[in-house]
Every structure is written in C-alpha cells, then in structure tokens.
Amino acid sequence: MSSDVLLETRGVTQRFGGLTANSDVSISIRRGEILGLIGPNGAGKSTLFGAIAGARVPTAGMILFEGRDITRLPAAERCRLGIARTFQVPRSFDSMSVVENVMIGAFVRHANATMARAAAYDTLDFVGLGGRAETSAGQLTPPEKRRLEVARAIATEPKLLLLDEVLTGLTPSEARLGVELVRKVQGRGITVVMVEHVMEIVMQLVERAIVLNLGQLLAEGAPAEIVRNEAVIAAYLGDRHRAA
C-alpha cells in the first residue's frame, strides 16, 4: 500500500442471499482528498460505505486502513482508528441537547466529561451550530440535523470521514454552506468520501470520483473525465447530460 493511500478495498464482495450488492470492488482512497462515490440507485454505494465503516463484514475481499487489515473489525474499533460516518437519514438523540449529542462523539477521544464538552462546543462552532448548543436536538431543522451529524462525526477526530448524502435535499443557499463546510473539513486534514446524487454539487466539490453500477466499479477519475465517460452517461447521467 502506497504511503499516500489511506484506505484500500481489495476485491470486496457483499452478497445478501442471492443478491450481490458489491462485486469485486477494489478502490483506493488517498490521504487528504475529497472523493465522490456516485452511481444510480441500487448501485451498491451504501453497501460499500457500510463495509468501510464496519456495519457489516464483506462476504469476500479485504479492507485495509493505513496498511492494517480492518476487514473484520467492529465499527467502534474502526472509529477509534479514525473512521467516522454520517447516515443518509440523520440520526440524533432528540431528547438530549445539541452539545450532548456531539459529546457522544467526543468521548471517543476524551474520557473526561469536561474535556468532551469543551471539544463538542469547539466542533459546533466549526460547523456553524454554536448558537444552538443548548437547544434540544429534536428542535433542529432538517439541514441543522445534517450538520449535527457531521459535528458528532468530526468530534471523534477522524482521519477519514464518510458523508452519506449530507447535501441532498438542501436549498441552493444551504447547499453552498454545505460545500463550504466540506472544504473546511478537508482543510483540517481530514479525508472525505461523499455519496451524493446532486451532480452539480459533486462535480464542483470532489477531486476524484468513483462510479459504481450494479455493484461493480464502472469508472473512476477526475470529474471532467467522469462526465464525458460514455459508460457513465449510459448507466447514470443519461442522454440529456450528453446533450448538455
């Protein structure tokens, strides 16, 4: 494994009974990059995310993080190593305050509650939720809940952050703020992998894209290359994109 590769999957396959969600997927994630993971619904993106995060053990293949085989490590151990994620549907503890939600992530690095709370406040300021710290998480708007998820993940001090559709469903102004936040996260030295469907956002934000289709790796490369790839246009972007 090259020193600039943070995480690598080798031949990752995931079967659910007779369904193959991922088939022999081999990708590399480079340190410090913003990588887009794109493809049509049912392409296997969320399954691959889950395999990297530790939600499930692949049926076959291997996952390496900083050269270490983590294929069978549970999610909590991967988090301690430096892998954090958000979920497509935001998950929060609505009866707890916003800062208490973020403290849950901070406890990965800080056993002391005072230190965890201080780290949580700093993280909320970073994501733009400092003014909502004492609010009940259940009172947040949907875009704020997405930021709360990002804050809780960042509070674990990850090396790799997996973002699952954090910009989907946002207004244009909210999406612009989301793009700025992702770039700020990268500015902290955190590698980012994004699953997104809003191509206008993905193509301006990511440095490299990996395209899955029917569970298999279809293409990878710079955004300008991906949007001109005939196989990607046929499987995902559509003829209207070709005309554009």
Side-chain angles (χ1 to χ4, degrees):
M1 176 182 272
S2 171
S3 61
D4 70 335
V5 174
L6 180 63
L7 184 137
E8 182 181 0
T9 71
R10 296 180 180 175
V12 166
T13 297
Q14 185 70 65
R15 299 187 186 92
F16 301 100
L19 172 67
T20 301
N22 289 140
S23 178
D24 194 27
V25 177
S26 297
I27 65 170
S28 295
I29 300 170
R30 303 166 187 161
R31 294 181 189 274
E33 74 175 333
I34 301 177
L35 174 69
L37 184 60
I38 63 176
N41 290 331
K45 303 182 299 295
S46 294
T47 301
L48 185 61
F49 245 41
I52 293 172
R56 59 182 63 87
V57 176
T59 307
M62 179 184 295
I63 301 172
L64 302 175
F65 184 65
E66 295 190 311
R68 173 179 174 178
D69 184 356
I70 63 167
T71 310
R72 297 189 173 277
L73 283 184
E77 183 59 29
R78 297 189 199 200
C79 185
R80 282 189 284 271
L81 289 177
I83 300 176
R85 71 168 296 181
T86 66
F87 291 87
Q88 186 175 343
V89 178
R91 302 179 180 183
S92 60
F93 299 94
D94 287 351
S95 63
M96 297 167 59
S97 70
V98 169
V99 70
E100 288 170 339
N101 269 261
V102 181
M103 285 176 67
I104 293 171
F107 276 127
V108 172
R109 305 297 173 198
H110 306 282
N112 179 283
T114 300
M115 295 176 65
R117 182 175 291 271
Y121 278 122
D122 287 344
T123 305
L124 287 170
D125 286 338
F126 177 78
V127 303
L129 286 178
R132 303 284 270 164
E134 303 303 331
T135 303
S136 168
Q139 296 178 6
L140 296 182
T141 65
E144 287 174 333
K145 282 201 170 187
R146 289 187 184 277
R147 283 185 174 252
L148 175 59
E149 276 234 323
V150 174
R152 189 168 56 216
I154 291 174
T156 68
E157 300 180 16
K159 299 173 183 176
L160 173 63
L161 178 60
L162 308 172
L163 300 177
D164 197 347
E165 296 192 24
V166 295
L167 304 179
T168 300
L170 302 181
T171 66
S173 60
E174 291 166 349
R176 282 194 297 272
L177 291 174
V179 167
E180 291 174 8
L181 177 57
V182 173
R183 287 181 172 143
K184 283 174 61 181
V185 170
Q186 183 193 35
R188 280 195 166 189
I190 299 171
T191 302
V192 178
V193 179
M194 305 179 65
V195 167
E196 281 295 341
H197 284 292
V198 186
M199 293 303 296
E200 294 82 1
I201 294 176
V202 172
M203 291 299 106
Q204 67 170 302
L205 184 57
V206 307
E207 297 155 17
R208 191 166 60 96
I210 287 175
V211 187
L212 295 183
N213 186 47
L214 301 175
Q216 296 180 315
L217 180 64
L218 179 64
E220 64 177 297
E225 299 169 355
I226 290 298
V227 297
R228 291 175 175 82
N229 185 300
E230 286 295 324
V232 176
I233 292 172
Y236 181 44
L237 298 177
D239 289 336
R240 191 172 73 172
H241 177 84
R242 181 187 286 110

